[in-house]
Amino acid sequence: MAMESSNTPVEKLGTGIEGFDLIAQGGLPKGRTTLITGTAGSAKTVFAAQFLAEGIRKSDEPGVFVTFEEHPSEIRKNLLSMNWPIQEWETQNRWRFVDASPQPGQETIESGEFDLGALLARIEHAVRTVGALRISIDSLGAVFTLFNNASLVRAELRRLSAALKGMGITAVMTAERTHEFGEIARFGVEEFVADNVIILRNVLEAEKRRRTIEILKFRGTTHQKGEYPFTVLPDQGIVIIPLSAIELKQRSSDTRVPSGSPEMDRMCGGGFFRDSLILVSGATGCGKTLMTAEFIHGGAKKGERCLLFAYEESREQLLRNANGWGIDFETLEQNGQLRVICAYPESAGMEDHLIAIKREIDAFKPDRVAVDSVSALERVGTNRGFREFMISLASFVKHQEIPGMFTATTATLMGGPSVTESHFSSITDTIILLRYVEMLGEMRRGVTVLKMRGSMHEKDIREFTIDNKGMHIGKPFRNIVGILTGKPEYLNVESVDRISGMFQD
Amino acid sequence: MNTNEKFLLKLYITGHTPRSERAIKNLRRICEEDLGGRYEMRVIDILEQPQLAEDEKILATPTLIKVLPPPLRRIIGDLSDSEKVLLGLDLLPVELNLK
């Protein structure tokens, strides 16, 4: 690979496909051909079309679309739903089709030798006419079905590949594969477009479809390795979620913001840090939503803009419950200080939820954000998908340099870890545990700050009560141990004194 | 078949390569021998008129399109297989009947 690019390194062309340029470390290799392979329904055509559409929309680079499968009129229609006005672009000479789709009712008879010179001439003509800088060819496998002689087609496609290189145009070619984890593509097409290969996958995992994109190789240049989840949005096309490509370079702030509860502020050593992630973990009904509501309320009282995503309750329920704690969400929303988004977890895939959250944050530009609860989203996807979701969500919120509160529901009533916690705890700055405490035939509630990065915090487990004014944090539980493990035990005053004495100097 | 019917044939080539020349020669021979001069033949060089290839959606060259008489038919290749060409021109069954 060093021979080819001995003097100038391989340049990249930013595709404009959201997330792709991050994992491709700049974009597709410029002036070269990249093979996009995938099974049926893996969004190859969307990728090919979007490569052109983003070129036109974002960098004013005209494109040529060579179609061997679908008729241009079908493509125009299908992609109109993505808000890509292809017909308009065609009249503006920014998009040109080369229609090589099968002509219905026309059988072709082969008599003697031939080549695909006409196709090459048409492609060159189209590229020249619009001054194309990008070209998409969809799909190579279909070319093989048009002619009987596969080795001839292979030779001609190799010629096409060389011709494209000569034109200095950045090309995307799609090809089918029969298995998600098998040969790169059918008909051995990777032979002649072997420099750059991207694989799109659409795997059925635990009854859920999971789309991923993997850059298998970029000759002579770098890229992120491994699979990245993506989704196809009806109005935006492919959106890739770059997980590990996200850099940990957030600034850190010493500014404190109120948690919404003066007692909690004290427990945290003066409030949450402005750019911290707070995980609130507890069993169902333990007061997590209340804590979120207080957090939102605390921000709103300071004049901040707050965004709340609720995945467990309907809007009406949430507003009613908040009212019961003396918090008027409705008025806050009318003032434009608050936006509450309620969604049913199963209403979309995990990637779609993530993108929806990002979009809302981008649009509303909140000063603080809360998600209640993230564990409700656990059931939407696979374990791995959920982990990626959590990491991506956390790093996105961190990049906004705003505090984010996430709640997690523990699996059992008396505590214990949840999936959410195990995925999330290391990237959160603050962890608050809410626990039920069974005491003398009564269920009481306890709260403790387990972790507070960069600050002193109280180590006590305090009792708290809930009434129509909200949350009231009271005294620590002194004569009880084992709250966190879910097996509380009572100690008599004597042993409490003895244990306290052990730690005195 | 109607013996007065005239054939309109379009042959698309990409430049005057040996293969193109071969196709022209083969077609002319077949036309003279089997059509008895009842034909009009147009040779179109796609390198000079690429838009015509786009309009006709031609992929391979040489491509012979039988425009008239209907039905429209396409034959690709250097036309060295005369039998296939005659089949494409809807002439073969007639020839077989005569034999």
Side-chain angles (χ1 to χ4, degrees):
Chain A
M1 58 179 90
M3 278 174 4
E4 205 182 324
S5 53
S6 48
N7 295 322
T8 48
V10 177
E11 266 186 85
K12 295 263 182 80
L13 178 83
T15 59
I17 298 173
E18 203 178 314
F20 180 78
D21 297 336
L22 257 172
I23 65 164
Q25 296 183 344
L28 291 176
K30 198 174 180 178
R32 299 183 173 207
T33 300
T34 302
L35 184 70
I36 313 282
T37 83
T39 52
S42 60
K44 298 185 295 292
T45 305
V46 177
F47 190 101
Q50 195 170 353
F51 172 60
L52 300 189
E54 302 294 12
I56 292 168
R57 294 194 320 169
K58 294 183 178 160
S59 37
D60 200 23
E61 297 175 352
V64 167
F65 195 101
V66 184
T67 173
F68 287 103
E69 261 174 359
E70 287 177 281
H71 192 266
S73 62
E74 280 172 67
I75 297 176
R76 278 184 207 114
K77 206 166 97 189
N78 294 345
L79 298 181
L80 200 60
S81 63
M82 306 265 186
N83 287 327
W84 300 335
I86 292 177
Q87 202 144 19
E88 200 181 306
W89 291 337
E90 283 179 278
T91 53
Q92 294 166 347
N93 263 339
R94 300 161 86 194
W95 179 298
R96 182 61 52 102
F97 275 112
V98 172
D99 178 13
S101 62
Q103 305 294 309
Q106 273 214 34
E107 62 161 334
T108 302
I109 296 164
E110 288 181 21
S111 166
E113 288 173 30
F114 62 91
D115 56 41
L116 299 183
L119 175 68
L120 244 70
R122 286 168 63 190
I123 292 174
E124 279 176 16
H125 174 62
V127 167
R128 265 200 313 272
T129 314
V130 298
L133 296 171
R134 302 179 180 214
I135 187 167
S136 287
I137 298 172
D138 182 55
S139 72
L140 296 185
V143 191
F144 286 89
T145 61
L146 292 176
F147 304 99
N148 296 328
N149 190 341
S151 65
L152 177 137
V153 173
R154 206 168 285 130
E156 287 300 295
L157 288 177
R158 197 173 287 128
R159 195 152 75 100
L160 170 64
S161 198
L164 292 175
K165 213 169 202 169
M167 287 186 248
I169 194 166
T170 310
V172 159
M173 290 186 182
T174 68
E176 304 69 33
R177 46 202 319 242
T178 40
H179 301 290
E180 288 296 359
F181 299 93
E183 59 169 356
I184 292 176
R186 286 173 70 196
F187 305 108
V189 291
E190 74 276 8
E191 260 176 57
F192 47 84
V193 275
D195 284 356
N196 313 297
V197 178
I198 293 172
I199 298 177
L200 301 179
R201 290 195 177 91
N202 185 16
V203 184
L204 193 62
E205 216 177 285
E207 297 179 14
K208 310 261 169 40
R209 280 279 169 199
R210 196 176 117 86
R211 290 182 185 279
T212 62
I213 181 167
E214 178 188 6
I215 301 173
L216 193 67
K217 59 174 172 178
F218 274 178
R219 184 157 290 174
T221 180
T222 56
H223 59 85
Q224 297 279 340
K225 288 166 187 67
E227 290 180 82
Y228 291 86
F230 75 92
T231 183
V232 182
L233 295 182
D235 57 342
Q236 205 184 340
I238 290 174
V239 178
I240 296 161
I241 298 152
L243 298 163
S244 52
I246 298 166
E247 291 166 78
L248 263 177
K249 57 174 183 192
Q250 301 91 357
R251 277 179 290 164
S252 178
S253 166
D254 288 335
T255 317
R256 301 261 187 171
V257 295
S259 66
S261 149
E263 295 105 325
M264 179 51 74
D265 287 349
R266 262 198 302 283
M267 287 178 78
C268 293
F272 300 140
F273 285 119
R274 205 195 63 207
D275 57 355
S276 64
L277 294 181
I278 305 115
L279 177 69
V280 179
S281 163
T284 175
C286 206
K288 296 187 301 299
T289 305
L290 167 61
M291 222 163 151
T292 320
E294 298 229 320
F295 173 67
I296 293 289
H297 193 217
K301 271 194 292 197
K302 267 186 67 199
E304 291 181 359
R305 289 165 71 78
C306 307
L307 190 54
L308 172 61
F309 297 92
Y311 295 104
E312 290 195 332
E313 291 166 303
S314 73
R315 193 182 175 77
E316 288 66 32
Q317 265 180 313
L318 189 70
L319 296 186
R320 188 200 60 203
N321 294 351
N323 262 329
W325 302 315
I327 298 169
D328 187 0
F329 274 169
E330 227 162 344
T331 312
L332 289 177
E333 266 205 299
Q334 279 158 9
N335 298 343
Q337 262 191 287
L338 171 67
R339 187 164 154 69
V340 179
I341 292 135
C342 292
Y344 191 59
E346 273 81 2
S347 64
M350 205 160 271
E351 289 81 10
D352 299 288
H353 278 302
L354 180 63
I355 288 158
I357 293 173
K358 285 181 175 180
R359 278 184 171 183
E360 290 290 350
I361 291 176
D362 276 337
F364 192 73
K365 302 198 183 355
D367 300 303
R368 59 174 71 189
V369 62
V371 181
D372 181 45
S373 69
V374 276
S375 32
L377 294 169
E378 261 174 42
R379 55 179 197 260
V380 181
T382 60
N383 205 338
R384 184 178 154 183
F386 184 64
R387 199 191 70 215
E388 290 169 348
F389 167 84
M390 296 298 291
I391 295 168
S392 187
L393 176 61
S395 47
F396 182 76
V397 171
K398 264 205 155 268
H399 268 275
Q400 312 300 311
E401 296 178 17
I402 56 171
M405 182 178 276
F406 303 91
T407 67
T409 310
T410 51
T412 63
L413 217 52
M414 300 311 287
S418 68
V419 181
T420 310
E421 277 171 62
S422 56
H423 288 337
F424 209 39
S425 49
S426 62
I427 38 179
T428 52
D429 305 288
T430 303
I431 298 178
I432 297 169
L433 296 183
L434 303 178
R435 289 289 186 265
Y436 284 115
V437 183
E438 187 196 337
M439 222 166 116
L440 306 172
E442 214 188 336
M443 270 302 201
R444 299 167 118 173
R445 291 180 172 94
V447 57
T448 187
V449 177
L450 194 68
K451 160 180 163 185
M452 175 93 191
R453 216 172 251 166
S455 168
M456 291 292 291
H457 63 90
E458 234 185 61
K459 312 292 189 284
D460 294 326
I461 303 174
R462 286 179 176 266
E463 182 171 4
F464 74 95
T465 53
I466 301 170
D467 66 11
N468 60 4
K469 297 244 165 39
M471 186 175 188
H472 303 284
I473 299 174
K475 287 197 167 70
F477 290 99
R478 276 300 175 215
N479 53 345
I480 189 162
V481 295
I483 294 174
L484 292 187
T485 53
K487 292 189 183 67
E489 271 180 56
Y490 305 97
L491 303 175
N492 53 37
V493 182
E494 202 177 293
S495 44
V496 173
D497 287 345
R498 191 166 51 84
I499 291 171
S500 307
M502 277 165 57
F503 295 102
Q504 275 167 12
D505 39 39
Chain B
M1 83 181 285
N2 185 353
T3 45
N4 298 321
E5 220 164 0
K6 200 168 176 185
F7 280 77
L8 175 57
L9 304 173
K10 288 186 183 174
L11 181 66
Y12 293 83
I13 56 168
T14 40
H16 288 270
T17 61
R19 187 178 288 151
S20 305
E21 297 301 337
R22 221 161 41 237
I24 295 171
K25 222 177 78 198
N26 284 335
L27 180 61
R28 199 156 272 147
R29 182 176 45 78
I30 292 166
C31 287
E32 287 303 326
E33 285 172 9
D34 297 278
L35 296 175
R38 292 177 292 110
Y39 70 94
E40 189 187 330
M41 174 178 152
R42 290 183 201 156
V43 178
I44 296 140
D45 187 350
I46 285 169
L47 296 186
E48 286 165 18
Q49 294 171 290
Q51 192 56 46
L52 291 182
E54 189 59 50
D55 298 342
E56 288 293 342
K57 314 215 178 305
I58 288 165
L59 300 180
T61 39
T63 289
L64 172 66
I65 299 184
K66 184 191 72 161
V67 185
L68 287 172
L72 208 73
R73 279 205 204 282
R74 285 174 184 236
I75 306 160
I76 59 173
D78 63 6
L79 310 178
S80 54
D81 186 340
S82 303
E83 219 165 276
K84 287 269 181 64
V85 179
L86 293 173
L87 195 77
L89 295 177
D90 298 306
L91 285 173
L92 204 55
V94 183
E95 293 294 304
L96 283 175
N97 286 344
L98 288 176
K99 280 171 195 169

